[in-house]
Amino acid sequence: MNKKVIAVIILTIIALTMLMLISFGPLGTNGKSSDINPISQKPQEIKQNTINKNPVVFVGFHNKDVKENYYGINLPKDWQTKSGVKAGSYDIIFPEGKCEINLQDVPDNSTLELFILTPKKR
């Protein structure tokens, strides 16, 4: 065989091996994941509402961690809010307990209604 053909085959095998290690292997964890946008951790707006004849102040958080998945949520001002472990999530602590708010991605080939009605494999 020609030396150039052998060199191209060897380089192709090396490139494919590196691609596999970066995509699925140990080198994949070295890549930079989605960072949490600091703006998402700060309240963006304040609204006052009345609940059971009691005034409640709500603060609005607008998550902008992933460009295509912006969303907003209003929470009572006295609740402690911090960014969750996953991009697009919040950890909430309130007087009665705590919870986590997560971004739920709906596949592009579905609608929200179909996604909710489809049984999930667990």
Side-chain angles (χ1 to χ4, degrees):
M1 265 191 169
N2 189 346
K3 291 181 182 180
K4 289 182 181 180
V5 172
I6 293 173
V8 168
I9 292 173
I10 291 173
L11 289 174
T12 303
I13 292 171
I14 291 171
L16 289 173
T17 304
M18 288 299 295
L19 180 64
M20 293 284 290
L21 289 174
I22 290 170
S23 298
F24 307 109
L27 297 179
T29 58
N30 293 340
K32 188 176 180 183
S33 63
S34 296
D35 288 329
I36 296 171
N37 187 340
I39 294 172
S40 300
Q41 299 176 17
K42 297 177 184 167
Q44 302 295 312
E45 60 185 337
I46 297 176
K47 295 180 182 179
Q48 183 153 352
N49 290 335
T50 303
I51 298 177
N52 296 332
K53 299 181 183 177
N54 296 323
V56 178
V57 177
F58 285 89
V59 291
F61 293 86
H62 299 280
N63 189 291
K64 298 181 179 183
D65 294 339
V66 182
K67 184 178 180 181
E68 63 272 6
N69 296 327
Y70 289 176
Y71 67 91
I73 186 167
N74 291 327
L75 301 169
K77 187 176 182 176
D78 59 341
W79 289 13
Q80 295 178 8
T81 308
K82 65 179 187 171
S83 245
V85 176
K86 301 177 206 169
S89 70
Y90 293 103
D91 290 331
I92 312 295
I93 300 171
F94 48 95
E96 295 82 18
K98 60 183 179 177
C99 71
E100 182 180 20
I101 299 171
N102 287 308
L103 173 66
Q104 179 66 52
D105 190 28
V106 177
D108 291 340
N109 62 352
S110 180
T111 64
L112 182 58
E113 293 82 8
L114 183 60
F115 182 76
I116 291 172
L117 294 173
T118 303
K120 308 293 183 267
K121 295 179 183 179
R122 297 190 190 244

